[in-house]
Amino acid sequence: MKLNILLVEDDELEAMKFNRALNKLGFSHTITRAKNGEEALNLAKDKKPNLILLDLNMPKMNGLEFLSILKSDDNHKFIPIIIFSTSNNQVDMLQAYKIGVAGYIVKPLDYKDYVEQIKRIIDYWTINELVIK
């Protein structure tokens, strides 16, 4: 199954790293990028992603605010969201899981580990029944 992935990441280098990892893995999933939570909300409604990769520390609307709004929307609350963040703050992690995040990965990872994490996440959600429309 080809995924429609929404990458919510304000850092250009991180977005390039993600795209490089996908290319290295040979994935041909559709990727849409938002640079902040406000933009991500609009794109989530328009593009209907079946997987969201989310940074926490962003301008305008941070990742936890975005997560809260999206998970309170009946049309979008079942979209799996994986957080990729530099924050290893236990409070952030606990809050994210309480709101309904599917996973939480702390950056930075070395590139090899990063690629392996991306592969695991995409492999898992590609075959998971919840993402089949």
Side-chain angles (χ1 to χ4, degrees):
M1 177 183 170
K2 186 173 180 178
L3 294 176
N4 181 15
I5 300 170
L6 175 58
L7 175 65
V8 187
E9 175 61 68
D10 64 320
D11 185 299
E12 291 295 328
L13 291 176
E14 287 295 325
M16 288 174 25
K17 183 174 154 182
F18 178 76
N19 286 322
R20 186 172 147 212
L22 284 185
N23 288 336
K24 178 180 176 126
L25 293 166
F27 289 134
S28 61
H29 302 291
T30 302
I31 309 300
T32 303
R33 179 176 168 221
K35 295 181 182 180
N36 61 61
E38 286 180 3
E39 186 179 348
L41 284 174
N42 291 328
L43 287 171
K45 291 174 184 172
D46 291 343
K47 301 289 183 178
K48 298 185 178 31
N50 43 22
L51 178 62
I52 297 174
L53 303 177
L54 176 66
D55 185 22
L56 286 185
N57 302 315
M58 295 179 295
K60 294 187 181 182
M61 178 188 295
N62 71 37
L64 290 175
E65 292 168 323
F66 166 80
L67 183 63
S68 294
I69 293 168
L70 198 73
K71 290 297 183 180
S72 67
D73 181 340
D74 286 342
N75 294 317
H76 298 94
K77 67 182 175 185
F78 295 112
I79 299 171
I81 300 173
I82 309 294
I83 291 178
F84 275 82
S85 179
T86 55
S87 174
N88 63 357
N89 179 322
Q90 295 293 324
V91 173
D92 286 345
M93 287 182 197
L94 183 60
Q95 172 118 13
Y97 279 109
K98 281 182 178 178
I99 296 170
V101 75
Y104 195 112
I105 296 172
V106 177
K107 301 183 291 191
L109 302 167
D110 71 37
Y111 186 69
K112 182 180 174 187
D113 291 341
Y114 180 83
V115 171
E116 185 58 34
Q117 289 288 349
I118 296 294
K119 181 178 181 345
R120 284 184 193 151
I121 289 166
I122 291 179
D123 284 348
Y124 178 81
W125 290 107
T126 298
I127 62 171
N128 191 295
E129 293 177 29
L130 293 175
V131 298
I132 297 174
K133 301 232 176 210

